[in-house]
Amino acid sequence: MSVSASPTPLLGDRLCENGYECVKILPATNDAHGGVIVDLKEPMDSELFATLLRSSLLHWKKQGKDGVWIKLPIELVNLVETAVKEGFWYHHAEPNYLMLVYWIPKTGCTIPPNASHCVGVGAIVLNDKKEVLVVQEKRGGFHGIGVWKIPTGVVDAGEEIFEAAIREVKEETGIDTEFMEVLAFRHTHNSFFGKSDLSFVCMLRPLSFDIKKQDLEIEAAQWMPFEEFADQPFNQMHEPFKYMIELCLAKVENGYDGFSPRPVSSYFVEELNCLYLNSHDLDNTS
Amino acid sequence: MSVSASPTPLLGDRLCENGYECVKILPATNDAHGGVIVDLKEPMDSELFATLLRSSLLHWKKQGKDGVWIKLPIELVNLVETAVKEGFWYHHAEPNYLMLVYWIPKTGCTIPPNASHCVGVGAIVLNDKKEVLVVQEKRGGFHGIGVWKIPTGVVDAGEEIFEAAIREVKEETGIDTEFMEVLAFRHTHNSFFGKSDLSFVCMLRPLSFDIKKQDLEIEAAQWMPFEEFADQPFNQMHEPFKYMIELCLAKVENGYDGFSPRPVSSYFVEELNCLYLNSHDLDNTS
C-alpha cells in the first residue's frame, strides 16, 4: 500500500451526480484494498474540514469503500481533533505526520497494524590475529559497567541488515569491513513502548585496521584478543553473550554455517531485496 | 524505556523553591536516559495545558533534562495542537494514543526512532506423503491469480516467530503443527508507508491432517503433492518463491540447516526471549 499525492484541488472535489446534487468532498485516491487515502497538504480551516469530511464519508460509503486513511502533516495539526471527533483513530505517526484511519463497513476491520518491530545489528569483526573489534559506550545499558562490547546499532527502515552492520562498524570505529554472515538473531519483547526487537548477530571481515573512534557515543575502541573478550565476566554470565562467543568460535574453528544475503527480484515489490539463507548448505545440494 | 503511571495530582505538581516561587508543572516521571515522561490520563483544558507545559519546560530545562515525552490518550486529542505549537513533534502513535517528543538541549537529539519494521511468517507444512499444506486467499496480492500458496501472516509485537507460524497455520487451515526451523528470511523495503518488512520462511511438521479452513480470508485449502506445488508457473517465475522450493527440497533431501529457536534469559529484558541459530552446527561443535 502506498500513499501518493493527490492530483485534485486544494479544497476538495466538487462532486456532481445526475446534474442535481453538488457537494464538495475531500481529494482522495483509491488504495489497492478497497479503501481511499486522503493526503492533505494545504492548510484548511477545521470547520470546513469537518463539513468536507462528513460529506466525503457519506460519499465513500455509497461507493462501498471500506478503509479511509487521512495523512495529516504536522503543520495541519489543527485538523486532528476534528478527525477524531468524526470517529477516526490513530494508525501511526512519524515525526512530520500523523496517519488517521476509519472503517466504514459494519463488518470486522481488516486495517493492518502499525510497524511492530525495531531491528538492530551486532557486528563481530575478527582479524587474522584472532582479535575482535570492541568498544565502550558513553551511554546506554553498557555504560559504566566496564564491559568491552561489539559495535551495535539500529537498522533503519529501508536499510539492508548487511549495510547497517558495515555502517555501524565504520561509524563507531572507522574500520572498513566486508559482510560475511548472520550467525544468529534474537527476538526480544517489550523493549520500547510495547514494541518487539529483532537483533542480528553478524560476522564481518576487517578490510582496514587503524581505529578512528567516533567521539559522540564511543568512550574507547580497540582490537582485543578474542580470549580476553570472551573471558569478561559479563559475557560469561549472560546467556545471549555467551552464545555469541560460542557461535563465533564454532564459525572460526568448526565451520558453523549462518545465513548470508542473496539479492532477489520480487513480484510484489519493485526494488531488489535480500533473502538471507544458509548459502553453504544450499549451494552444496543444488 | 517504559511509560508508567504518574502518582501525582491531576492538574500538575505544585513546585515550591526557596519558599518563594510557586508554579504548577505537569506530573512527570524520569526515564532512564536523562529525560522525563508525561503520561496524561485526565481531561484538561487546552489553555491550562499550554500554561503548565511552558512552566514545565522551563523547570525541566533548569534540571538539565533532555528529552521530554508526552503520551496523550486519544480522548485528550484536544491537547495535541497545543503541544505541537509549543515545539513538540510526533514520535509514534497507536490506535488509542499519540506520543509526542521535545528535545531541550542545543546539542544533537538522540531520541530513538519509532518502530521501523513489520514482521511476517510463511509456513511450509510438509506431511509424510510429501504433500504441502496450501491455501488460496480471498483478498490481497495473491487473490484471483489461481496460485496455491503456503499460509502466511503477521507476527504481532510481543509474539514469537515460531508461535506466529503455528498460529497462522491453525487459524487458516485448522492443522496443528510443531515448529522445526527458519529456513531463510527476506528483507523488503517500502512495503507499508515507508516501513520495511522481515518475512521468515518457516518449516513445520504437521500434527493433525484434517483441514478445517477459515472462511473469512481463505477461499480454499488442501494438501497438494509437493511437485505440483513447485511446478506452478508463478513459483517457477518468481525468485523468492523458487528459492523457497529449493530450500524446502534441500531441507528434506540434503539436510539443509536453518535456524531454530533457543530460549535465553536476558540481562536487559526481564522476560525469556529467543535466540534463533543453526542448532545442528552449534551442537555438533560444542
Side-chain angles (χ1 to χ4, degrees):
Chain A
M1 191 177 300
S2 69
V3 177
S4 54
S6 165
T8 43
L10 304 187
L11 294 183
D13 287 340
R14 189 167 289 277
L15 182 82
C16 295
E17 284 175 18
N18 312 323
Y20 292 101
E21 282 180 79
C22 206
V23 292
K24 276 189 164 184
I25 64 159
L26 290 163
T29 51
N30 294 324
D31 69 22
H33 304 267
V36 290
I37 303 171
V38 177
D39 186 12
L40 283 184
K41 293 193 193 302
E42 301 297 328
M44 188 184 295
D45 173 73
S46 64
E47 286 187 28
L48 172 62
F49 179 62
T51 308
L52 288 174
L53 188 51
R54 277 180 220 134
S55 52
S56 302
L57 285 171
L58 283 173
H59 174 65
W60 295 323
K61 192 175 175 178
K62 261 197 229 167
Q63 285 192 314
K65 295 294 177 191
D66 48 25
V68 179
W69 303 78
I70 298 183
K71 184 178 180 184
L72 290 180
I74 195 163
E75 295 78 21
L76 304 192
V77 65
N78 65 309
L79 307 181
V80 174
E81 190 175 356
T82 304
V84 170
K85 281 185 174 162
E86 292 301 323
F88 280 74
W89 65 90
Y90 306 141
H91 184 269
H92 69 272
E94 293 297 322
N96 58 350
Y97 78 88
L98 176 63
M99 184 69 82
L100 296 126
V101 282
Y102 183 92
W103 186 251
I104 295 176
K106 294 266 183 282
T107 54
C109 171
T110 59
I111 288 174
N114 184 7
S116 55
H117 283 67
C118 298
V119 178
V121 283
I124 304 177
V125 185
L126 208 64
N127 67 20
D128 288 343
K129 292 188 264 180
K130 218 181 158 190
E131 292 169 330
V132 61
L133 182 63
V134 291
V135 298
Q136 284 187 333
E137 288 175 346
K138 285 192 173 171
R139 53 198 302 166
F142 279 94
H143 177 64
I145 59 174
V147 178
W148 289 93
K149 63 182 278 293
I150 58 171
T152 53
V154 170
V155 180
D156 298 321
E159 187 178 36
E160 272 305 322
I161 290 162
F162 71 86
E163 288 169 345
I166 291 171
R167 175 184 55 72
E168 284 290 345
V169 171
K170 179 72 179 174
E171 280 177 11
E172 295 192 359
T173 68
I175 297 293
D176 296 304
T177 54
E178 177 184 17
F179 188 86
M180 295 171 68
E181 275 181 12
V182 173
L183 296 186
F185 61 88
R186 187 167 159 220
H187 202 189
T188 50
H189 306 290
N190 282 316
S191 61
F192 189 57
F193 297 115
K195 300 292 178 175
S196 291
D197 199 280
L198 278 165
S199 189
F200 293 85
V201 181
C202 303
M203 187 120 197
L204 295 88
R205 186 182 290 122
L207 299 174
S208 73
F209 303 93
D210 290 339
I211 292 171
K212 290 185 193 81
K213 87 168 180 70
Q214 184 239 58
D215 289 330
L216 185 65
E217 299 166 299
I218 304 300
E219 186 72 42
Q222 65 164 317
W223 291 103
M224 181 184 247
F226 185 80
E227 279 70 25
E228 197 179 321
F229 169 70
D231 288 347
Q232 294 179 102
F234 183 93
N235 284 349
Q236 287 300 322
M237 279 164 60
H238 297 100
E239 264 189 310
F241 301 92
K242 213 173 158 189
Y243 266 118
M244 185 177 69
I245 287 158
E246 283 181 29
L247 289 168
C248 187
L249 282 176
K251 177 75 212 165
V252 174
E253 296 175 1
N254 298 83
Y256 172 96
D257 285 325
F259 283 180
S260 51
R262 198 164 284 208
V264 287
S265 61
S266 171
Y267 175 65
F268 295 112
V269 190
E270 271 183 43
E271 300 165 62
L272 214 62
N273 51 83
C274 274
L275 196 63
Y276 288 76
L277 48 76
N278 182 339
S279 290
H280 179 258
D281 275 11
L282 187 68
D283 296 341
N284 275 5
T285 62
S286 59
Chain B
M1 190 177 300
S2 70
V3 177
S4 53
S6 166
T8 43
L10 303 188
L11 294 183
D13 287 341
R14 189 166 291 275
L15 181 82
C16 296
E17 283 175 18
N18 314 321
Y20 292 101
E21 283 181 77
C22 207
V23 292
K24 277 189 163 184
I25 64 160
L26 290 163
T29 52
N30 293 326
D31 70 22
H33 305 266
V36 291
I37 302 171
V38 177
D39 187 12
L40 283 183
K41 293 193 192 302
E42 300 297 328
M44 188 184 295
D45 173 73
S46 63
E47 284 186 29
L48 171 62
F49 179 62
T51 308
L52 288 174
L53 189 51
R54 277 179 220 132
S55 52
S56 303
L57 285 172
L58 282 172
H59 174 63
W60 295 322
K61 191 174 176 179
K62 261 196 230 168
Q63 285 191 314
K65 297 293 179 193
D66 48 26
V68 179
W69 302 78
I70 298 183
K71 185 179 180 182
L72 289 180
I74 195 163
E75 295 77 20
L76 304 192
V77 63
N78 66 309
L79 306 182
V80 174
E81 190 176 355
T82 304
V84 170
K85 281 185 176 162
E86 292 301 322
F88 280 74
W89 64 91
Y90 306 141
H91 184 269
H92 69 273
E94 292 298 322
N96 58 350
Y97 78 88
L98 175 63
M99 184 69 82
L100 295 125
V101 283
Y102 183 90
W103 186 251
I104 295 176
K106 294 267 183 281
T107 54
C109 172
T110 60
I111 288 174
N114 184 9
S116 54
H117 283 67
C118 297
V119 178
V121 283
I124 303 176
V125 185
L126 208 63
N127 67 20
D128 287 344
K129 292 188 265 181
K130 219 182 156 190
E131 291 168 331
V132 60
L133 182 62
V134 291
V135 298
Q136 284 188 333
E137 288 176 345
K138 284 192 174 170
R139 52 198 303 166
F142 279 93
H143 177 65
I145 58 172
V147 178
W148 290 94
K149 63 181 279 292
I150 59 171
T152 53
V154 171
V155 180
D156 298 321
E159 187 177 38
E160 271 307 322
I161 290 162
F162 71 86
E163 288 169 346
I166 291 169
R167 175 183 56 71
E168 284 290 344
V169 171
K170 181 72 178 173
E171 280 177 11
E172 294 192 359
T173 68
I175 298 293
D176 295 304
T177 54
E178 178 184 17
F179 187 87
M180 295 172 67
E181 276 181 13
V182 173
L183 296 187
F185 61 87
R186 186 168 159 220
H187 202 190
T188 50
H189 306 290
N190 281 317
S191 62
F192 190 57
F193 298 117
K195 298 290 178 179
S196 291
D197 199 280
L198 277 165
S199 189
F200 293 86
V201 181
C202 302
M203 187 120 199
L204 295 88
R205 185 182 292 122
L207 299 174
S208 73
F209 304 93
D210 290 339
I211 292 170
K212 291 186 193 79
K213 88 168 180 70
Q214 183 240 57
D215 288 330
L216 185 65
E217 299 166 299
I218 304 299
E219 186 72 44
Q222 65 164 317
W223 291 103
M224 182 184 247
F226 185 80
E227 279 70 26
E228 198 180 321
F229 169 70
D231 288 346
Q232 292 179 103
F234 183 93
N235 284 349
Q236 288 299 322
M237 277 165 60
H238 296 100
E239 264 189 310
F241 301 93
K242 214 174 158 189
Y243 266 117
M244 184 176 71
I245 287 158
E246 283 179 32
L247 289 167
C248 187
L249 282 177
K251 177 76 213 164
V252 175
E253 297 175 1
N254 299 82
Y256 172 96
D257 285 325
F259 283 180
S260 51
R262 199 164 281 209
V264 287
S265 62
S266 173
Y267 175 65
F268 295 111
V269 190
E270 270 183 44
E271 299 166 62
L272 214 63
N273 51 82
C274 274
L275 195 63
Y276 289 76
L277 48 77
N278 182 339
S279 290
H280 179 258
D281 274 10
L282 187 68
D283 295 341
N284 275 6
T285 62
S286 62

